[in-house]
Amino acid sequence: MNNIRVKPTLTVAQIINMSMGFLGIQMGFALQNGNASRILQTFGADVEHLSLFWLAAPITGMIVQPIIGHYSDRTWTKMGRRRPFFLVGAILTAIALVLMPNIALFTAILPPLLIGAGMLMLMDASINVTMEPFRALIGDNLPSSQRSLGFSVQTVLIGVGAVVGSWLPYVFAEYLNIPAEGGDGIVPQNVIYSFYFGAFILIATILWTVFTTKEYAPKELESFVGEEETEAETQSSSSHNLGAIFQDFKRMPLTMKKLGWVQFFSWFALFMMWVYMTPAIAEHVFYKMDGERSRLYAEAGNWVGVLFGVYNGISAIYAIFLPRLANRFGRTKVHAFGLVIGGISLISILFISSPNILLLTMLGVGIAWGSILSMPYAILSDSLPARKMGVYMGIFNFFITFPQIICGFFGGMIIKYVFDSQPIYGIMLGGIFMLLGAISVWRIKE
């Protein structure tokens, strides 16, 4: 190839601008993770059925991300090829955030739980439309030497957005005196206003990225050293047929296949935590206190938001040090360490009965989360061809959504029949799976 060039390095400010939209995306994701279960239980969902409602999210992600990646690889407009998807996805996600806590407005048309599942599906599909191109943009715009930094910057912004999103209901209730109890079939006002605020920030941060970031045109991207492809890859890249996705799936790099096992164990653990943390903490900690169960459940839900905010804040801080740690010890060793710390932390929740001491466990979960959000992508990106960065990042999402689907189908049955409807043991099981993920990392050679 003629005129081979080295992809220029970017400043930290440019990388931040490129990833700013992730702050808003993660605010919406945190609001969903911290409040979807309590919203569904408000309308009558049983604890063992919660994971089934959450299936809507990974199923849509499994379908949407490869398709979005496929077409964003092949789309070029005046706005670029990734940015149009950012913008459309952000608008749809903001609409879903406004509708999710207002399920009661639609109960005259359909049962509230069915509407809730539909809102989860709409929200996650929209988030995936927005999120997938952000991962690919790092591979597009950064040289290999900066990709650990790029994904770490994204993790920092993800952590900041998640802290704000997780803490919003608690802050609105405790400091702005917005009512935190809604009664039967009524979502509390502090949760509703939190979702509105999240929608506003999401749109604002996506627009920030759209207006401050440039993209390389396809021909320009091909001119960089290290971005050459085989003849088969070039033919696949030129095809607009969705069947090309299956061909790309067959040709996935060996590193990607091995990372699939790591992702399976890691995201099974995370799904158990997100779905069952609120009922687990309510029964294991708050119901042992004096007071009405409805009030204690509301307090548990708000406190889980605080806990989730803490682990996301820790992940943001830890991500600052990840590039240096990865350069010194290697990406795989650093990721294995993070998963071990996270697994031990989740298991330890079983032996804790104080809300405040639970904060300590979130330190370890935050380290694991920071690593999960950056290290697998940094390990993977160097093995992917440039023209198909988007579709392979989308296919890689399969290894995130598949374990969530498995957990969604069987998690409730495990809680009910194996753990006698005690969700705290689901959190313990998540810790064990995270340790299995750490073992799987050692099979990967950088």
Side-chain angles (χ1 to χ4, degrees):
M1 185 179 291
N2 297 326
N3 300 320
I4 292 293
R5 299 182 295 152
V6 176
K7 198 176 291 183
T9 59
L10 301 184
T11 66
V12 173
Q14 288 174 313
I15 296 174
I16 291 174
N17 288 338
M18 185 169 57
S19 300
M20 181 60 72
F22 247 122
L23 187 149
I25 293 171
Q26 197 60 30
M27 275 192 65
F29 198 50
L31 285 165
Q32 173 184 304
N33 287 345
N35 298 281
S37 287
R38 68 190 292 193
I39 290 173
L40 292 170
Q41 285 192 298
T42 297
F43 290 98
D46 296 326
V47 64
E48 62 265 23
H49 295 152
L50 286 177
S51 61
L52 294 176
F53 287 103
W54 279 71
L55 277 175
I59 288 174
T60 53
M62 178 181 290
I63 297 170
V64 168
Q65 283 219 14
I67 296 174
I68 294 299
H70 175 83
Y71 282 111
S72 71
D73 283 342
R74 293 157 178 78
T75 299
W76 185 257
T77 69
K78 292 181 179 180
M79 289 182 62
R81 63 176 180 172
R82 311 294 184 192
R83 287 177 291 174
F85 292 92
F86 298 165
L87 190 57
V88 172
I91 293 171
L92 293 175
T93 305
I95 293 172
L97 283 169
V98 171
L99 294 179
M100 181 67 188
N102 290 296
I103 294 174
L105 297 177
F106 304 94
T107 53
I109 304 173
L110 291 170
L113 292 180
L114 184 60
I115 296 171
M119 288 299 105
L120 275 177
M121 183 175 291
L122 173 62
M123 187 180 302
D124 201 74
S126 305
I127 287 175
N128 278 295
V129 171
T130 311
M131 184 186 303
E132 193 282 332
F134 268 102
R135 298 291 192 194
L137 189 62
I138 292 293
D140 290 345
N141 284 10
L142 295 181
S144 175
S145 61
Q146 280 196 305
R147 285 176 183 169
S148 289
L149 174 62
F151 289 117
S152 295
V153 167
Q154 282 191 350
T155 303
V156 171
L157 293 171
I158 286 171
V160 173
V163 169
V164 176
S166 297
W167 284 0
L168 277 177
Y170 183 84
V171 171
F172 281 174
E174 295 296 323
Y175 298 100
L176 299 182
N177 296 318
I178 296 176
E181 293 185 51
D184 294 336
I186 301 175
V187 178
Q189 290 293 306
N190 67 320
V191 174
I192 293 175
Y193 288 126
S194 297
F195 275 70
Y196 292 167
F197 186 75
F200 170 76
I201 296 298
L202 173 63
I203 293 293
T205 55
I206 291 293
L207 289 175
W208 181 298
T209 291
V210 167
F211 288 116
T212 61
T213 301
K214 62 161 285 187
E215 296 185 63
Y216 294 115
K219 293 295 183 183
E220 188 178 10
L221 189 61
E222 289 176 36
S223 69
F224 293 115
V225 66
E227 308 295 2
E228 305 89 344
E229 296 174 322
T230 66
E231 182 179 352
E233 289 167 345
T234 302
Q235 291 175 353
S236 176
S237 297
S238 63
S239 173
H240 288 264
N241 192 324
L242 283 176
I245 296 176
F246 296 99
Q247 295 301 318
D248 292 330
F249 194 93
K250 292 179 181 178
R251 297 191 189 101
M252 73 170 68
L254 180 61
T255 297
M256 187 171 173
K257 294 178 181 178
K258 291 183 177 181
L259 276 170
W261 286 103
V262 181
Q263 297 292 82
F264 178 87
F265 291 122
S266 302
W267 286 89
F268 188 100
L270 291 169
F271 196 76
M272 291 295 286
M273 181 183 73
W274 290 331
V275 174
Y276 294 111
M277 183 65 88
T278 296
I281 296 305
E283 294 184 11
H284 189 62
V285 178
F286 281 82
Y287 286 173
K288 296 178 181 178
M289 304 176 184
D290 294 329
E292 298 180 359
R293 287 174 70 93
S294 61
R295 178 180 62 81
L296 292 174
Y297 185 85
E299 291 180 4
N302 289 336
W303 191 245
V304 167
V306 173
L307 295 175
F308 282 9
V310 168
Y311 89 68
N312 279 288
I314 294 299
S315 75
I317 296 171
Y318 182 60
I320 296 173
F321 302 97
L322 274 175
R324 183 175 297 179
L325 292 172
N327 289 335
R328 181 171 181 180
F329 300 106
R331 294 166 178 170
T332 55
K333 291 181 181 178
V334 169
H335 192 41
F337 167 78
L339 294 179
V340 168
I341 295 298
I344 293 172
S345 298
L346 285 177
I347 293 171
S348 69
I349 293 175
L350 179 65
F351 307 100
I352 295 173
S353 58
S354 168
N356 291 330
I357 296 178
L358 288 172
L359 292 169
L360 296 177
T361 67
M362 293 299 104
L363 300 179
V365 174
I367 289 173
W369 181 231
S371 187
I372 289 169
L373 289 175
S374 54
M375 285 299 100
Y377 298 97
I379 295 168
L380 176 67
S381 61
D382 284 347
S383 66
L384 301 182
R387 280 195 191 181
K388 296 188 292 186
M389 188 69 69
V391 70
Y392 271 125
M393 286 294 181
I395 291 173
F396 192 55
N397 188 62
F398 175 88
F399 299 116
I400 294 174
T401 56
F402 180 69
Q404 295 180 61
I405 291 170
I406 295 297
C407 184
F409 274 118
F410 298 106
M413 288 187 282
I414 292 172
I415 296 294
K416 183 175 182 179
Y417 297 109
V418 179
F419 298 136
D420 194 25
S421 295
Q422 297 184 62
I424 187 64
Y425 291 106
I427 306 300
M428 179 197 70
L429 181 63
I432 294 172
F433 268 67
M434 202 166 281
L435 294 177
L436 293 175
I439 295 172
S440 300
V441 176
W442 290 104
R443 298 176 59 243
I444 301 171
K445 293 182 180 180
E446 294 188 55

